[in-house]
Amino acid sequence: TANTVKPGGYNYNNPWFTYNQETGLYERFQYDEAQIDEETGEQISVKNILLQNSSWKKYDENGYLNIDVNASGTGTYITNGKAIDITWSKKDPWGPTYYYDANGDQIPMNPGKTWVCIILDTSADSTVIE
């Protein structure tokens, strides 16, 4: 079950998503309020959420990070009020990312908007899905 999703490691804006059963979409919140799309004036909502755990290292002393989104890793695919564990990988550094279920089959995404959260692998344990 995935009615509330709080991605780990986003301590500045503390974002979360709440599943709306009537619309079948996840509504996004941050800074303790609904996140509003400046163009439409409506709350941001998505059909799918991908939590992509990625390795990283410190880039410099200013706090910049070098996040590796070209290797492979684990994560979570969330849609329709449910979550499943996944793995992800790339075949080409400039190409698309592929997401796979526990059987190794590529996941077909549900039609609609998808939000990808890059999660530092060291913050993955702080992700909350309820």
Side-chain angles (χ1 to χ4, degrees):
T1 301
N3 291 315
T4 302
V5 178
K6 298 177 183 177
Y10 289 86
N11 300 329
Y12 180 72
N13 60 337
N14 295 310
W16 76 92
F17 298 85
T18 300
Y19 184 60
N20 181 326
Q21 290 184 340
E22 290 180 20
T23 64
L25 301 175
Y26 284 89
E27 298 167 341
R28 191 168 194 278
F29 296 82
Q30 66 176 3
Y31 301 109
D32 293 323
E33 61 186 38
Q35 184 176 1
I36 305 300
D37 183 316
E38 191 173 316
E39 296 279 322
T40 65
E42 297 178 7
Q43 184 172 10
I44 292 175
S45 58
V46 298
K47 182 66 177 174
N48 308 297
I49 303 169
L50 285 163
L51 304 179
Q52 184 174 320
N53 303 326
S54 299
S55 62
W56 63 281
K57 62 183 176 181
K58 193 174 177 182
Y59 183 75
D60 66 18
E61 62 280 346
N62 297 313
Y64 291 102
L65 303 177
N66 186 357
I67 302 171
D68 188 355
V69 294
N70 290 318
S72 61
T74 61
T76 309
Y77 173 54
I78 303 157
T79 191
N80 296 331
K82 303 289 182 194
I84 63 167
D85 292 331
I86 61 167
T87 58
W88 62 270
S89 65
K90 284 186 169 249
K91 298 174 184 171
D92 173 352
W94 299 104
T97 303
Y98 296 91
Y99 300 94
Y100 304 94
D101 64 19
N103 295 323
D105 297 322
Q106 189 173 346
I107 297 170
M109 296 289 160
N110 285 326
K113 294 179 183 177
T114 299
W115 191 287
V116 179
C117 295
I118 303 296
I119 309 288
L120 302 181
D121 59 0
T122 53
S123 296
D125 289 345
S126 64
T127 295
V128 176
I129 301 173
E130 304 173 319

